[in-house]
Amino acid sequence: MRKILILLSIFFTLQAYSQREVINLNKDWKYLEQPFNLPEEASLSNDWVNVDLPHSWNSLDATDIIPGYRRDASWYKKTLMIPSKSESNRYILYFEGANITSEIYVNGKKAGEHIGGYIGFEIDITAHITSGSNEILARVDNGYDREIIPSQKSDFFIYGGITRDVWLKIVDKTFINKIKVTNSDISKKSATTTVNLDIIGPINSNHKSVVTLIDPNGKEVSSKSIILSKTQNHEVAFKTSKPLLWDVDAPNLYTVKVELMSGKEIADLDQTSIGMRWFEFKDYGSFYLNGRKLLLRGTHRHEEHAKFGAAMPNSLHRKDMELIKGMGANFVRLGHYPQDPEIYKACDELGIIVWDELPWCRGGVGNETWKANTKRMLNEMIEQNYNHPSIVFWSLGNEIYWLPDFENGDNESAINEFLKELNDIAHKLDPNRLTSIRKYYAGSDIIDVFSPSIWSGWYSGSYENYSTAIDKNIEKYPHFLHMEYGGSSHVGRHTETPITGDGFINPNGWEEAINQVEVDNIAKVGDWSENYIVDLFDWHLKITESHDKFAGNAQWAFKDFATPLRPENDIPYMNQKGLTDREGNPKDAYYVFKSYWSKEPFAYIESHTWNERSGPEGLSRELNVFSNADNVELFLNGKSQGKKTRDINKFPASGLSWNVNFTSGENPILAIAYDKKGKEVARDAMSVNYTFERAGAPEKLVLSYEATTNGDYLVTATAIDKDGLRCLEYEERVYFQCLAGGRLQENLGTPTGSSSIKMANGKASIIVEAENPDKPVIMTVLNQSFKGTFLEFSPVKTNKTTNK
């Protein structure tokens, strides 16, 4: 509460005493989906529609079942009211990000442009505006352009649009353009904070800056003045005793407040948050933060979400990071590009170490224009994100040699020459952080930290070979981190016998092959069940949590995300390697990580989406509970199955695994977690409907529906045999269609938001919105084997499942 009051105090100080205003411009834009080249052409069109920002024209068309997605230019327009333009002010538009190139026009005149997406940029519009109404036009283009990274061959969509917030900054003619803060000589006893100011505008003898350092509790540590001059380096340093260090468990943030004074008046006021910390990466060993050995427990994040694509509101950005922190992670790789400012803010505040990545993703090295664009993007990435204490690694790219866009673009000599240039730029701009790269072996000795490609148990080999893989790489690379591991899982798909790969694969491999057509691996022969991925992650974590020299890794990826390269996946165009679905709903695998990493007591029975099981009478079945508690007791049908002690050296589920005998029908299950003193700290419950009969071949698809809490309807298709048994092994694709009375929630890339989807244990569902309560909804589901099952229901809210 105290921190909130401090921030409010600073906010009102900015509003009350400074000429600086920062106004959000997200509301009330118009959008034109036409690739006109000139603003005059766009202005004459009658096809403008109303939108709010952030916005992308690919939010849904990227993930519909029609091949391809729109790669072209569009226009945005806004009326900007300036009640009274002041000659003593500057007016600046700040775009947090627009993909991929942008041209900004004000009152018909070009005010500026920006090349490259995923990076913020400013356009000074002072000379172009007048008092009253002003027209802002933005032409944004995500068309194919091999001279701008990322490569078009990257495994993610390049969303077009103004995909982040837009602001109007009104400042004095002389204003604070940037505050750059460097912490040095940091220890538990003291730290030095150096503040460099970039002041833009005419400077006279009346100008000075007052720089104040405020600690995380709101206490003023020190305040110093700088007399400004045209030739002076605007720099001031503070020495802090016993600093409150920024740490993953205690993300203490200081505030640097800068007042630009003109005589006795405040001409401008700005601030930035900083953190004091130091780190060290031991050669062929571990990572240390503030002198303490820290295992980097990480994941990856793509910037996109169901329904929004990349045009996510800040609340969803924040939710992603809170979910990541909630499972106990302390590290995130932002793949494969710089992300929304809200992400860095959240990582600073939550205590998550960041691997920030230049979007040199595949494509090899390009021509001189390509090189200039790439170097500029690296400069912008580092300059904009420099002050964030969460950032430790500047990644210079990923798979950079792969699938070249230019002739001879995969030439190692040419790539290395340019990579060295980027590495030098990064170290010159920021000598206090580490450079890194993933999966470019020829450049492993150029950068500071290297990640080879290790996909044990998915793209190559068996997950049981993971320990051997990391041991060999620790010995080979001085600073080794493992970026990317895991595999795909389809929500609700389960099996009593997860595949091991025996007889299908070479168990000793681990590196992802370039040509996947030539190899056999679990990715191709596996069942994409949640059970297999749970086992894979469980094994990986068992190894890494007990390894004495391992610095850390990052699972790929936190949330299912869309990609143009995977149209035939179980959910079309979805990379389904997420620990959550595309809406952020946790899969089983999320709780595996939470059981190893989280400090918040919990228990989770594997699996809440596995509530239909079958097998011969008398055959025991494995039942696992994932928990971070010391002991867990399992109850089946009201009878205790015994209490077990958690031990991370045991597999599966750290020893919290029982062999149980289900009875026919419903089987209530309860897991109670206890601390060392025997006190209950968490519990979880579910029920399994078990049958002793194995279903035969599917005879038909049956449709049912139930009302959801928000008034929509969940329509479910179930494959059943001639005796009415659910066919748990049926996994073929089905297609939903609403014939009348409603609208499908489709093209979302989620388990209930996809009209084309493969079944999970003989079941698939989709959300339907009823259009008129007085008209029935008519649904059908079909595939090549089943030519159409129909369901008609009246849209009356009910929680009862009704079959028709």
Side-chain angles (χ1 to χ4, degrees), residues 78-84 130-134 168:
K78 184 176 178 65
T79 300
L80 180 65
M81 293 298 299
I82 305 292
S84 178
T130 62
S131 296
S133 176
N134 297 268
L168 173 66

Side-chain angles (χ1 to χ4, degrees), residues 83-139:
S84 178
K85 179 184 177 183
S86 171
E87 295 303 317
S88 64
N89 284 342
R90 292 177 188 247
Y91 299 81
I92 300 168
L93 289 178
Y94 173 50
F95 292 78
E96 291 182 358
N99 278 7
I100 200 88
T101 62
S102 306
E103 297 173 356
I104 310 303
Y105 297 85
V106 179
N107 295 326
K109 303 294 184 181
K110 188 173 182 178
E113 64 181 5
H114 186 258
I115 298 174
Y118 313 104
I119 300 284
F121 62 94
E122 292 185 344
I123 305 291
D124 191 328
I125 61 173
T126 308
H128 302 282
I129 60 170
T130 62
S131 296
S133 176
N134 297 268
E135 183 183 71
I136 309 296
L137 277 170
R139 184 183 191 272

Side-chain angles (χ1 to χ4, degrees), residues 455 458 485-489 533 536-537 555-556 576-578 587:
W455 280 90
W458 193 249
Y485 68 98
S488 297
S489 60
I533 291 304
L536 182 149
F537 287 134
Q555 170 269 346
W556 182 270
Q576 292 174 247
K577 295 186 181 72
K587 303 181 188 180

Side-chain angles (χ1 to χ4, degrees), residues 130 203 244 247 433 513 535 699 739 800:
T130 62
I203 295 174
L244 297 171
D247 195 277
R433 288 186 173 97
D535 287 348
E699 184 173 86
L739 301 176
K800 182 179 180 181

Side-chain angles (χ1 to χ4, degrees), residues 22 34 52 135 138-139 186 203 226 304 308 334 339 382 430 450 460 464 535-536 549 621 688 700 704 731 733 743 792:
V22 182
Q34 293 288 347
D52 290 331
E135 183 183 71
R139 184 183 191 272
I186 307 169
I203 295 174
I226 307 173
E304 63 128 78
F308 297 96
L334 302 181
Q339 299 195 6
I382 294 176
D430 187 356
F450 180 66
S460 185
E464 294 182 356
D535 287 348
L536 182 149
K549 289 185 178 181
R621 292 299 196 189
V688 168
K700 60 181 177 179
S704 62
E731 299 174 356
R733 186 176 303 280
R743 183 174 67 87
E792 179 178 328

Side-chain angles (χ1 to χ4, degrees), residues 246-248 277-279 287-292 294 353:
W246 185 92
D247 195 277
V248 295
R277 85 287 183 271
W278 81 94
F279 57 84
F287 179 84
Y288 288 77
L289 180 65
N290 300 329
R292 175 175 65 95
L294 180 70
I353 290 173

Side-chain angles (χ1 to χ4, degrees), residues 281-398:
F281 208 140
K282 300 283 189 182
D283 287 350
Y284 304 100
S286 302
F287 179 84
Y288 288 77
L289 180 65
N290 300 329
R292 175 175 65 95
K293 183 177 177 180
L294 180 70
L295 177 63
L296 293 175
R297 299 172 166 129
T299 186
H300 297 72
R301 180 191 190 258
H302 262 294
E303 185 167 290
E304 63 128 78
H305 194 88
K307 188 173 75 171
F308 297 96
M312 297 171 61
N314 285 339
S315 59
L316 288 179
H317 287 302
R318 181 77 186 199
K319 180 183 176 183
D320 277 357
M321 304 321 296
E322 289 176 345
L323 278 168
I324 288 171
K325 188 68 177 183
M327 73 177 187
N330 59 28
F331 175 46
V332 66
R333 177 191 181 202
L334 302 181
H336 294 288
Y337 39 78
Q339 299 195 6
D340 191 281
E342 187 69 18
I343 294 300
Y344 302 97
K345 179 176 181 288
C347 290
D348 289 347
E349 294 173 352
L350 296 171
I352 302 174
I353 290 173
V354 172
W355 167 303
D356 206 6
E357 192 154 286
L358 180 71
W360 185 8
C361 183
R362 303 182 178 174
V365 69
N367 59 18
E368 292 306 311
T369 300
W370 179 95
K371 290 177 182 178
N373 287 334
T374 301
K375 286 188 286 186
R376 183 179 58 255
M377 289 187 73
L378 177 62
N379 274 271
E380 291 175 336
M381 180 178 82
I382 294 176
E383 290 290 343
Q384 290 180 27
N385 295 329
Y386 184 90
N387 289 346
H388 292 287
S390 55
I391 297 175
V392 171
F393 306 96
W394 296 122
S395 171
L396 303 182
N398 172 71

Side-chain angles (χ1 to χ4, degrees), residues 650-715:
K650 293 181 179 180
F651 179 87
S654 297
L656 302 178
S657 180
W658 289 259
N659 289 319
V660 301
N661 288 92
F662 291 111
T663 59
S664 180
E666 288 296 326
N667 292 258
I669 307 168
L670 173 66
I672 301 178
Y674 304 94
D675 63 15
K676 290 181 180 178
K677 297 180 179 179
K679 179 183 176 183
E680 180 182 333
V681 292
R683 64 170 53 197
D684 189 32
M686 64 169 291
S687 183
V688 168
N689 181 40
Y690 200 83
T691 177
F692 296 147
E693 298 178 77
R694 180 176 180 176
E699 184 173 86
K700 60 181 177 179
L701 302 178
V702 174
L703 283 174
S704 62
Y705 76 95
E706 60 183 296
T708 65
T709 55
N710 65 356
D712 295 329
Y713 294 87
L714 182 71
V715 174

